[in-house]
């Protein structure tokens, strides 16, 4: 290319360089023609044009990027390939497309060892967004292929056509028939949930979360399914698959409880016990499609017997003893033979297992008072299991009420479902559902007898601060009511199974107070103490975890369904 210098006599006064505002208004030049490729046009832009482009992108996406705005777009050398992947950088926030793919490839090809921890995590997140984008393309192609085969078929809804489409997909993608069928089902499910497919294409959710949407909304009509999907599509970006599944199930139970009931009853016809071989060479046995209340009762009974055996001197962990009790009961052996003495402890079988058919062990059931009294069909939740329908909640509540040791709690929640206050009682309000055709019980007197402890919010006043290391029963209970699961990002381990951990170590000035303690599982307890990790609790119940990369993740109290 020949460069001709500007000649004032020939060309007149040299034009002034356009301002950033002018660049934003006129770029790209409509007379410049289409770009040469996904990346090449960036190399042809001046640094000022790159800055203007980055500024416009940041404005359109409602974000501000520190430092030179065009840094994330410049590729003058291998060392600069990943500048924009740092937290808050242009490439860290960019939606997946061929341009992001090019920069990700450049950063990878230049050597991952060149990247800082922050940039490496940014590249990792970008790669996940790109895989979501590619998954959306793949599933859209599957849906289009399916639509073409349906349009040409004499009987579009025949099972034989499905088999043919599955076979074609399996051959093209080198999949088993089962995997091809799952891919086709996912593509069809997303076809009726366009907002979920769009979120996948934009990299806001991954393929696993898209599959959760499809599976959990399968029982709903198209209109109801889209309504629920629209309610959670944006929030799903910050949820794990477990969190998303729980939220979806709760909304499905609210939007159409009859559909859930029909689905449950149809599935119950498929009740069975399955056996298979583990990859280790051991084997597995599991009951499927069991009534929820009976499953929970059986599960807690196994734990109660296992704990009694452990107390009596049996060897092994609680999980190992639960498995041993499970097989002993099914093979007709007395579980107490697992003890070296071969005899039951002083409490006897009833002390470990409880009365026949009774519910034993700790069951943390949360349900709306209106559902307990039979006024509504609002869903509840069993800690460790997730949302359950009102019928199952009432069944469990009636079983629990048979025990004099049952503790009754009332939690007052905000409009968004988060705990505001809590009270405990030794007796419940009574249930209309427990007695057929009974009148709705008057719960006014029961409510009036309760003293509600209002939880600290915002600035903590330290009203319940304790000057000791271990929180007392009342303070610990309130903290676990506020924070229903482990306070680490994405962890759904029930608070009751967690340690009450000081955010700032007690021996370093940490407070035993609502603003200084939160439930944390053993794994994340160790993680918090690992080099490079840091934890703060700026407000009661709001915890910010800083990872070794320097990236921060904030966790808020979960809501009650």
């Amino acid at each position: 290319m020949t460069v001709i210098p500007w000649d004032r006599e020939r060309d007149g006064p040299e034009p002034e360089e356009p301002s950033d505002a002018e660049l934003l208004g006129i770029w790209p030049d409509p007379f410049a023609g289409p770009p040469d490729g996904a990346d090449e046009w960036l190399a042809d832009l001046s640094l000022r044009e790159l800055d203007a482009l980055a500024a416009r992108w940041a404005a359109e996406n409602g974000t501000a990027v520190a430092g030179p705005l065009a840094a994330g777009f410049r590729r003058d050398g291998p060392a600069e390939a990943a500048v924009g992947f740092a937290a808050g950088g242009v490439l860290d926030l960019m939606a997946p497309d061929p341009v992001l793919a090019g920069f990700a490839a450049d950063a990878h090809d230049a050597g991952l060892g060149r990247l800082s921890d922050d940039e490496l995590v940014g590249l990792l997140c970008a790669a996940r967004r790109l895989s979501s984008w590619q998954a959306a393309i793949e599933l859209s192609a599957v849906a289009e292929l399916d639509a073409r085969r349906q349009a040409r078929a004499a009987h579009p809804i025949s099972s034989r056509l499905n088999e043919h489409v599955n076979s074609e997909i399996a051959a093209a993608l080198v999949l088993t028939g089962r995997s091809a069928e799952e891919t086709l089902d996912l593509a069809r499910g997303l076809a009726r949930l366009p907002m979920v497919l769009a979120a996948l294409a934009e990299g806001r959710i991954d393929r696993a979360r898209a599959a959760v949407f499809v599976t959990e909304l399968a029982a709903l009509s198209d209109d109801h399914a889209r309504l629920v999907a629209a309610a959670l599509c944006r929030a799903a970006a910050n949820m794990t698959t477990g969190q998303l599944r729980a939220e979806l199930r709760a909304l499905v139970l609210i939007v159409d409880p009859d559909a859930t009931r029909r689905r449950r009853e149809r599935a119950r016809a498929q009740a069975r016990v399955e056996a298979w071989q583990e990859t280790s060479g051991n084997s597995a046995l599991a009951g499927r499609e069991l009534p929820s209340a009976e499953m929970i009762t059986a599960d807690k009974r196994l734990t109660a017997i296992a704990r009694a055996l452990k107390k009596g001197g049996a060897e092994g962990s609680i999980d190992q003893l639960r498995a041993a009790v499970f097989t002993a009961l099914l093979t007709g052996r007395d579980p107490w033979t697992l003890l070296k003495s071969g005899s039951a402890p002083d409490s006897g079988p009833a002390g470990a297992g409880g009365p026949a058919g009774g519910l034993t062990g700790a069951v943390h059931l949360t349900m709306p008072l209106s559902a307990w009294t039979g006024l509504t069909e609002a869903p509840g939740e069993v800690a460790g299991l997730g949302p359950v329908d009102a019928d199952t909640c009432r069944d469990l509540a009636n079983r629990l009420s048979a025990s004099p040791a049952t503790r009754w709690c009332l939690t007052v929640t905000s409009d968004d479902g988060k705990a505001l206050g809590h009270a405990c009682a030794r007796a419940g309000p009574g249930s209309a559902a427990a007695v057929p055709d009974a009148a709705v019980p008057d719960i006014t007197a029961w409510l009036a007898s309760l003293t509600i402890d209002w939880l600290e919010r915002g600035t903590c006043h330290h009203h319940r601060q304790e000057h000791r290391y271990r929180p007392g029963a009342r303070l610990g209970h309130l903290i676990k009511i506020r924070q229903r699961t482990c306070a680490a990002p994405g962890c759904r381990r029930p608070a009751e199974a967690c340690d009450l951990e000081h955010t700032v170590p007690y021996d370093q000035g940490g407070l035993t107070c609502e603003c200084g303690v939160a439930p944390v599982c053993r794994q994340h307890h160790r993680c918090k103490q690992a080099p490079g990790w840091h934890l703060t609790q700026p407000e009661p119940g709001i915890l910010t975890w800083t990872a070794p990369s320097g990236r921060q993740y904030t966790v808020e109290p979960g809501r009650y369904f």
Side-chain angles (χ1 to χ4, degrees):
M1 179 177 67
T2 302
V3 179
I4 301 176
W6 190 272
D7 187 322
R8 284 181 173 271
E9 293 183 1
R10 183 190 69 227
D11 301 318
E14 187 174 350
E16 294 183 3
E17 188 175 1
S19 65
D20 287 347
E22 290 172 328
L23 284 170
L24 285 172
I26 66 172
W27 190 90
D29 185 349
F31 300 105
D36 299 326
D39 290 342
E40 284 79 3
W41 54 271
L42 290 171
D44 295 334
L45 300 179
S46 69
L47 294 183
R48 290 197 61 222
E49 289 173 320
L50 285 168
D51 281 336
L53 170 61
R56 185 174 73 178
W57 181 92
E60 290 175 349
N61 288 272
T63 185
V65 182
L69 288 169
F73 290 93
R74 299 173 187 161
R75 293 186 292 167
D76 299 330
E80 298 183 12
V83 171
F85 284 112
V90 173
L91 301 180
D92 184 48
L93 302 174
M94 181 181 285
D97 62 9
V99 176
L100 180 62
F103 281 109
D106 286 347
H108 175 271
D109 294 345
L112 298 182
R114 296 173 176 266
L115 308 183
S116 68
D117 286 359
D118 188 7
E119 291 167 340
L120 184 62
V121 173
L123 177 61
L124 173 66
C125 295
R128 175 52 63 95
R129 295 198 302 277
L130 288 166
S131 68
S132 298
W133 173 57
Q134 292 283 15
I137 294 174
E138 175 189 324
L139 292 166
S140 296
V142 169
E144 174 64 20
L145 181 65
D146 180 43
R148 293 183 184 184
R149 299 298 177 262
Q150 297 274 3
R152 296 174 187 172
H155 303 286
I157 60 174
S158 71
S159 59
R160 182 171 296 178
L161 173 63
N162 288 346
E163 292 174 359
H164 295 337
V165 177
N166 287 343
S167 297
E168 188 171 2
I169 294 170
L173 301 181
V174 195
L175 299 175
T176 63
R178 181 66 177 271
S179 294
E181 182 180 0
E182 291 175 353
T183 301
L184 179 58
D185 288 345
L186 179 56
R188 287 175 174 173
L190 290 176
R192 74 171 190 143
L193 300 172
M195 65 291 294
V196 177
L197 182 60
L200 182 65
E202 293 165 8
R204 290 188 282 117
I205 63 173
D206 55 17
R207 182 175 181 141
R209 279 174 281 185
V212 171
F213 271 105
V214 170
T215 301
E216 296 300 327
L217 301 182
L220 297 182
S221 66
D222 288 353
D223 289 342
H224 280 157
R226 289 172 186 147
L227 176 67
V228 174
L232 283 178
C233 218
R234 191 163 296 278
N238 297 313
M239 294 181 184
T240 64
T241 52
Q243 291 170 327
L244 177 60
R245 183 175 290 107
E247 293 283 346
L248 286 168
R249 287 183 180 177
L251 283 179
V252 168
L253 288 168
I254 293 170
V255 169
D256 194 349
D258 288 337
T260 304
R261 186 178 296 110
R262 291 192 300 271
R263 182 183 186 184
R264 183 178 69 245
E265 291 172 352
R266 286 196 302 269
R268 195 163 293 172
Q270 304 299 319
R272 62 199 182 276
V273 173
E274 293 182 351
W276 66 92
Q277 190 173 34
E278 302 277 20
T279 55
S280 64
N282 295 310
S283 297
L285 184 69
R288 303 294 303 275
E289 301 297 349
L290 306 177
S292 295
E294 291 187 9
M295 182 277 295
I296 293 168
T297 302
D299 180 65
K300 298 303 178 183
R301 194 176 186 84
L302 284 176
T303 300
I305 299 175
R307 290 191 184 282
L309 289 169
K310 184 74 171 177
K311 187 177 180 180
E315 296 180 353
S317 66
I318 292 296
D319 281 341
Q320 290 170 332
L321 289 173
R322 273 170 47 88
V325 171
F326 177 68
T327 54
L329 291 172
L330 289 177
T331 55
R333 292 182 290 118
D334 188 336
W336 306 116
T337 59
L338 297 170
L339 292 173
K340 290 182 179 179
S341 64
S343 60
D346 293 340
S347 59
L359 183 54
T360 60
V363 179
H364 297 277
L365 167 67
T366 303
M367 65 184 301
L369 189 60
S370 60
W372 169 233
T373 57
L375 291 175
T376 70
E377 294 299 307
E381 182 181 14
V382 176
L385 180 64
V388 290
D389 60 277
D391 285 341
T392 300
C393 285
R394 284 191 286 265
D395 190 356
L396 281 171
N398 290 333
R399 292 173 187 236
L400 288 166
S401 63
S403 171
T406 297
R407 178 168 62 174
W408 299 83
C409 297
L410 173 73
T411 301
V412 180
T413 62
S414 60
D415 291 340
D416 61 359
K418 295 180 180 178
L420 294 177
H422 184 77
C424 295
R426 283 297 178 186
S431 169
V435 182
D437 302 323
V440 175
D442 182 4
I443 63 171
T444 304
W446 183 76
L447 291 173
S449 70
L450 302 178
T451 300
I452 296 177
D453 289 317
W454 298 102
L455 297 169
E456 293 276 12
R457 304 181 77 189
T459 301
C460 185
H461 297 90
H462 314 301
H463 292 317
R464 283 181 282 268
Q465 180 181 351
E466 298 176 355
H467 299 284
R468 57 180 176 177
Y469 175 69
R470 294 189 182 280
R474 179 190 176 201
L475 176 59
H477 183 55
L478 288 174
I479 290 173
K480 289 183 177 181
I481 289 296
R482 177 196 72 194
Q483 216 100 22
R484 307 175 62 216
T485 62
C486 171
C491 186
R492 296 188 66 237
R493 189 168 183 83
E496 292 296 334
C498 295
D499 300 324
L500 286 173
E501 170 72 1
H502 283 82
T503 305
V504 176
Y506 183 73
D507 59 2
Q508 297 178 23
L511 301 181
T512 305
C513 182
E514 288 173 66
C515 64
V517 176
V520 180
C521 71
R522 290 294 174 90
Q523 176 186 338
H524 289 108
H525 186 163
R526 292 192 295 268
C527 189
K528 166 186 175 286
Q529 297 173 328
W533 285 88
H534 183 63
L535 179 62
T536 61
Q537 190 171 178
E539 297 180 24
I542 298 178
L543 289 91
T544 298
W545 296 72
T546 302
S549 65
R551 297 199 170 216
Q552 295 187 330
Y553 308 92
T554 298
V555 179
E556 297 187 4
R559 70 182 186 90
Y560 285 81
F561 295 113

